[in-house]
Amino acid sequence: MDSDDTSAPAGGRLTVSKPVRRLAVVLAAVIALICGVMSAGILWSTAARTDRDTAAHRHRTIATTTGRAGIIPAAQYGATPVSTAPASWQYPDHVPRSGSIRVQAGTPKGDAVAIWVNDAGTYQARSLPSVSQRVFTSVAVGAGAAAVVGLAEAAAVLLARRRAMGRRLVAWEREWEEVEPVWTGRLRREPGHDDD
């Protein structure tokens, strides 16, 4: 039987033509792509909302270093060492604060440095992610989601093909049991016949 035709074999099962299989592959790819785009879009909008909420509670103020900058070794291999210096600032107005802030290497004592603080005046070392960072993260998550959906679809297709092959082999064995004695000229003995 030609596997390119859509026809019903003796077992009553329908084989799938190449154009239908191609359409199924295209449909699976489109579904994976849609899932990836939706994941990227959801992450983008969620991250944008979080960044807007965080930015609403970040305030820029000026800190004055109270000591020389020192270098903190990188916490992990390949990371850039960080320069910090003790500093003092006032936020909200006339409320003194102090702490260690990130500065450029070699910043002298008494230097003015722009910093970000939260509503309570606590120094915020981590800056908000840039748009390019958000784009990269969203695209990476979208690609990952598309890949996961695509792999799940491929696994489902392989499982379905394996099960179909198993059914075909069982049907072939049954048909061979009926045809083989006639084909080889060896007749099967019916139960109950006497041996003479």
Side-chain angles (χ1 to χ4, degrees):
M1 178 194 307
D2 187 2
S3 64
D4 292 349
D5 296 333
T6 302
S7 57
R13 289 191 178 85
L14 199 63
T15 58
V16 180
S17 67
K18 277 188 179 179
V20 171
R21 283 186 294 205
R22 285 187 190 121
L23 180 63
V25 168
V26 169
L27 183 61
V30 167
I31 290 170
L33 182 64
I34 288 171
C35 289
V37 169
M38 287 178 61
S39 297
I42 289 168
L43 179 65
W44 173 268
S45 63
T46 302
R49 189 176 326 111
T50 301
D51 290 349
R52 277 193 309 271
D53 292 345
T54 303
H57 300 284
R58 290 270 176 104
H59 311 282
R60 191 174 173 95
T61 190
I62 301 297
T64 304
T65 56
T66 58
R68 287 187 51 83
I71 296 177
I72 297 174
Q76 57 191 94
Y77 181 75
T80 307
V82 177
S83 295
T84 63
S88 62
W89 62 93
Q90 292 187 4
Y91 194 90
D93 288 338
H94 309 296
V95 177
R97 305 277 182 198
S98 63
S100 183
I101 63 171
R102 288 187 179 186
V103 294
Q104 292 193 1
T107 301
K109 178 180 177 180
D111 206 16
V113 179
I115 62 169
W116 291 95
V117 296
N118 63 14
D119 290 336
T122 306
Y123 171 66
Q124 303 295 296
R126 289 185 60 189
S127 60
L128 293 174
S130 66
V131 173
S132 61
Q133 289 172 321
R134 204 175 332 139
V135 166
F136 177 78
T137 304
S138 297
V139 168
V141 167
V148 167
V149 170
L151 287 173
E153 290 170 338
V157 167
L158 289 175
L159 180 63
R161 289 184 73 176
R162 181 173 285 236
R163 291 184 71 187
M165 180 61 77
R167 285 193 302 267
R168 276 189 233 121
L169 289 174
V170 168
W172 185 84
E173 285 289 333
R174 262 190 253 119
E175 290 174 7
W176 181 247
E177 286 175 7
E178 294 173 11
V179 171
E180 186 267 337
V182 176
W183 184 68
T184 60
R186 180 178 61 83
L187 296 176
R188 243 187 316 181
R189 238 178 239 270
E190 296 296 328
H193 286 175
D194 295 326
D195 290 332
D196 288 330

